Amino acid sequence: RVLETGVYDAKLGINQVQVNEYLEDSGIGLHVEDPAAGEAFATVSLLQPIQLTLQRAVDGKPMNKEHRDRHDCLKVLLEPRSLFVLQGESRH
């Protein structure tokens, strides 16, 4: 189904899959996805809703805490069975 979205090149396919289980009240720490993951990054929420907070990166790294604006972010709620794709500028 992910390939049917057209986000990934059908000939190249998806280059890696990672599965994480997040226990209650746990989340995803501030980080920048490895460029080796490719130009598009897809997240699938399977069992429970999870909130992602997206913030700017500088030169491929999270912004330093002292320079980060807590209000300059985008919060996205992924409901169960939802697909969230980052590509282009939002990917880096």
Side-chain angles (χ1 to χ4, degrees), residues 57-68:
V58 176
D59 297 325
K61 298 178 184 167
M63 289 183 73
N64 186 304
K65 188 175 183 178
E66 289 79 36
H67 298 109
R68 198 177 318 140

Side-chain angles (χ1 to χ4, degrees), residues 39-54:
E39 287 301 310
F41 186 85
T43 299
V44 178
S45 177
L46 297 176
L47 301 176
Q48 297 180 354
I50 186 153
Q51 179 176 297
L52 298 177
T53 302
L54 304 175

Side-chain angles (χ1 to χ4, degrees), residues 5 18 26 31 41 53 56 69 78 84 88:
T5 66
Q18 178 177 331
S26 68
H31 68 284
F41 186 85
T53 302
R56 295 181 197 277
D69 180 353
L78 294 182
F84 180 72

Side-chain angles (χ1 to χ4, degrees), residues 2-4 6-17 36-40:
V2 174
L3 285 176
E4 291 172 4
V7 171
Y8 296 96
D9 183 324
K11 291 179 183 174
L12 297 175
I14 297 171
N15 70 345
Q16 64 179 268
V17 174
E39 287 301 310

Side-chain angles (χ1 to χ4, degrees), residues 26-41:
S26 68
I28 303 168
L30 183 61
H31 68 284
V32 174
E33 295 297 339
D34 187 339
E39 287 301 310
F41 186 85

